[in-house]
């Protein structure tokens, strides 16, 4: 397999003047041959290889995304099987997303340094093995540990999958369409995950949610054999920055999750908050002094990079927080079964799919900035629309109120992802992708921590006032990032 990306189809099928002269001489010397055989044989290989790379990337992105939302529906069954309370359930979700977020900073550089295909294969293999560990977990502690390994693997899969697409498609328009499909896969997986999680949990038990990842991982590894070897690019692995990032996020998550259970002024919570603050300051110092930091300071000064990062954080906070909240609302407050709760997400899945298909075309027609701003405003409406939810709210009204939740992220994410990929050079594609998805996962993890702490009532039930506090907090965040997008992003 070649060590560099294959030429584009137009280059492969349009030879230059020297090639035309050589072909004419060949025809004169061999009159029995109407045309040379080499160029036509080589030309079709490029789109085939690009298509295989896209399918492999899409499958990996889909499976690591389904794992998040499907597990949310399985949480009550996990609690009944392994115990752990609300804090245990929060850690089952956040152990995955925190490692996902923190390690993705280095994972982007790893994709650049070792080559996207190799990093992607490593990540998929580890994710598959960790999924088996989750399925076999005998207790909540082992499950949380296996989720940590899953999150670490997913951190490698995410940026490497996008970098694999970036190298497979040289043409900007073709690349934008491929990125849109990649984003569609992730958004649909996030929306469809609860349906799949409910079906598997009710029919085969919560462990089946993790066992499903095994055959998918095997298919991805088989496809990668047909993908050309990726080029390696210089990208330093910043151990100090990575360590301080992990400590900062872990400390912050512990403080938010346990603050709602142990008390905000308890010793462990205050210590975790202090560790998070100190580690965050240390991260900034380490990155400023490192010769090749994993987060290049110059990248963050570009508003086409900084604003999408902030938007990604807010959008994922709304979506992850909303999925977590609704899974518990349906089952704990309304008493639905896992499969019934999952089926409540079917209309949402359909709307997400349709919106993702429309979003790239809409961005091309009216510009990316209006699409990104509108998506955030719709998401803000989704948070406010869920405020009236109660135990006896009619089901049809619940479904109507959730429509904005289906549209907001699906509208904004394709446009902001494409904007970010165009704003950075090709050699920084893995780093930029890792940074974007790190911020997105951090937003999701902190939203789950916030909602989980707010939802837990003193008696262990579902707290409606706490739900409303969380919804208003996320709505305020979305309004702030929408204003930043309107003021700082270019329209085109």
């Amino acid at each position: 397999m070649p060590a560099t990306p294959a030429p584009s189809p137009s280059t492969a099928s349009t030879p230059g003047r020297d090639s035309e002269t050589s072909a004419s001489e060949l025809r004169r010397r061999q009159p029995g041959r109407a045309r040379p055989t080499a160029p036509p044989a080589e030309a079709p290989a490029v789109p085939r290889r690009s298509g295989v790379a896209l399918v492999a990337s899409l499958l990996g992105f889909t499976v690591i995304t389904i794992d998040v939302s499907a597990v949310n529906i399985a949480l009550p069954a996990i609690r009944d099987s392994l115990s752990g309370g609300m804090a245990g359930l929060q850690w089952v979700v956040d152990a995955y997303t925190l490692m996902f977020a923190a390690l993705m900073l280095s994972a982007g550089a790893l994709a650049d340094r070792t080559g996207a295909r190799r990093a992607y294969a490593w990540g998929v293999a580890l994710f598959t093995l960790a999924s088996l560990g989750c399925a076999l977990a005998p207790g909540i502690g082992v499950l949380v540990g296996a989720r940590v390994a899953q999150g670490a693997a997913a951190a490698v899969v995410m940026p490497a999958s996008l970098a694999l697409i970036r190298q497979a498609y040289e043409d900007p328009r073709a690349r934008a369409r491929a990125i849109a499909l990649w984003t569609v896969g992730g958004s649909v997986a996030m929306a469809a995950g609860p349906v799949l999680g409910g079906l598997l949990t009710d029919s085969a038990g919560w462990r089946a949610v993790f066992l499903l990842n095994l055959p998918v991982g095997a298919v991805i590894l088989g496809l990668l054999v047909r993908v050309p070897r990726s080029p390696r690019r210089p990208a330093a692995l910043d151990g100090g920055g990575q360590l301080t990032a992990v400590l900062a996020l872990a400390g912050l998550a512990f403080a938010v999750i346990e603050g709602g259970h142990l008390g905000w002024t308890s010793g462990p919570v205050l210590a975790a908050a202090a560790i998070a603050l100190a580690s965050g300051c240390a991260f900034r110092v380490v990155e400023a002094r490192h010769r090749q930091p994993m987060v290049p300071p110059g990248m963050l000064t570009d508003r086409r990079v900084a604003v999408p990062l902030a938007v990604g954080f807010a959008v994922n906070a709304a979506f992850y927080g909303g999925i977590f909240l609704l899974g518990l609302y349906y089952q704990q407050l309304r008493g639905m079964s896992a499969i019934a709760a999952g089926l409540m997400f079917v209309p949402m899945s359909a709307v997400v799919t349709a919106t993702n298909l429309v979003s790239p075309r809409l961005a091309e027609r009216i510009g990316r900035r209006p699409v990104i701003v509108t998506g955030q405003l719709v998401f803000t409406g989704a948070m406010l629309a869920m405020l009236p939810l109660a135990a006896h709210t009619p089901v049809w009204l619940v479904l109507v109120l959730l429509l904005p939740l289906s549209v907001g992220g699906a509208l904004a994410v394709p446009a902001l992802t494409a904007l970010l990929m165009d704003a950075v050079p090709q050699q920084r594609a893995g780093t930029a992708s890792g940074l974007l998805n790190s911020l997105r996962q951090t937003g999701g993890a902190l939203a789950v921590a916030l909602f989980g702490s707010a939802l837990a009532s003193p008696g262990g039930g579902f707290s409606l006032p706490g739900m409303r506090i969380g919804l208003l907090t996320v709505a305020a965040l979305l309004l702030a990032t929408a204003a930043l997008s309107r003021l700082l992003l270019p329209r085109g």
Side-chain angles (χ1 to χ4, degrees), residues 46 54 66 94 100 166 212 301 307 342 354 375 428:
V46 176
L54 176 59
I66 281 181
D94 273 356
F100 201 166
R166 178 66 177 83
L212 180 66
T301 59
V307 174
R428 286 296 185 186

Side-chain angles (χ1 to χ4, degrees), residues 134 221 285:
C134 290
L221 293 175
V285 172

Side-chain angles (χ1 to χ4, degrees), residues 72-341:
N72 272 287
I73 293 299
L75 289 177
I78 293 173
R79 180 197 58 199
D80 295 340
S81 174
L82 304 180
S83 301
M86 179 64 76
L89 298 185
Q90 287 173 269
W91 280 117
V92 169
V93 177
D94 273 356
Y96 179 88
T97 51
L98 282 173
M99 291 303 292
F100 201 166
L103 295 183
M104 210 180 306
L105 294 171
S106 287
L110 180 67
D112 290 338
R113 184 184 177 112
T114 65
R117 191 190 71 165
R118 177 177 295 181
Y120 190 56
W122 288 349
V124 169
L126 177 58
F127 185 85
T128 304
L129 291 175
S131 297
L132 179 60
C134 290
L136 300 177
I140 196 73
V142 175
L143 177 59
V144 170
R147 292 283 283 169
V148 168
Q150 264 195 321
V156 178
V157 169
M158 175 77 82
S161 68
L162 191 52
L164 206 62
I165 293 174
R166 178 66 177 83
Q167 81 169 40
Y169 292 88
E170 292 293 330
D171 178 70
R173 286 184 177 274
R175 183 170 65 246
R177 288 192 294 268
I179 290 174
L181 287 173
W182 180 86
T183 307
V184 166
S187 297
V188 173
M190 176 58 74
V195 181
L196 185 60
L199 289 171
L200 290 173
T201 301
D202 269 2
S203 61
W206 64 266
R207 298 179 191 273
V209 173
F210 299 105
L211 289 174
L212 180 66
N213 299 333
L214 274 61
V216 178
V219 170
I220 295 171
L221 293 175
L223 288 173
L224 287 177
V225 175
R226 300 176 57 194
V227 175
R229 191 174 303 160
S230 303
R232 299 183 183 186
R233 307 183 188 282
L237 296 179
D238 182 2
Q242 182 62 85
L243 177 61
T244 52
V246 170
L247 290 175
L249 290 180
L252 183 58
F254 184 93
V256 177
I257 290 175
E258 299 298 338
H261 305 283
L262 301 178
W264 297 104
T265 59
S266 64
V269 171
L270 292 177
I275 290 173
L277 179 61
S279 299
C281 294
F283 176 81
R284 184 172 181 178
V285 172
V286 168
E287 294 302 280
R289 294 181 178 180
H290 200 280
R291 183 177 301 177
Q292 291 182 294
M294 62 184 181
V295 182
M299 184 180 289
L300 299 179
T301 59
D302 187 343
R303 61 186 180 181
R304 296 176 302 164
V305 174
V307 174
L309 294 179
V311 175
F313 178 94
V315 165
N316 257 42
F319 200 85
Y320 273 75
I323 295 294
F324 178 79
L325 181 153
L326 290 170
L328 296 177
Y329 165 77
Y330 289 141
Q331 296 180 76
Q332 290 193 352
L333 195 63
R334 299 190 69 104
M336 291 183 174
S337 65
I339 189 170

Side-chain angles (χ1 to χ4, degrees), residues 399-415:
L399 294 176
V400 171
L401 294 177
L402 294 183
L403 287 178
L405 186 66
S406 311
V407 174
L411 196 62
V413 171

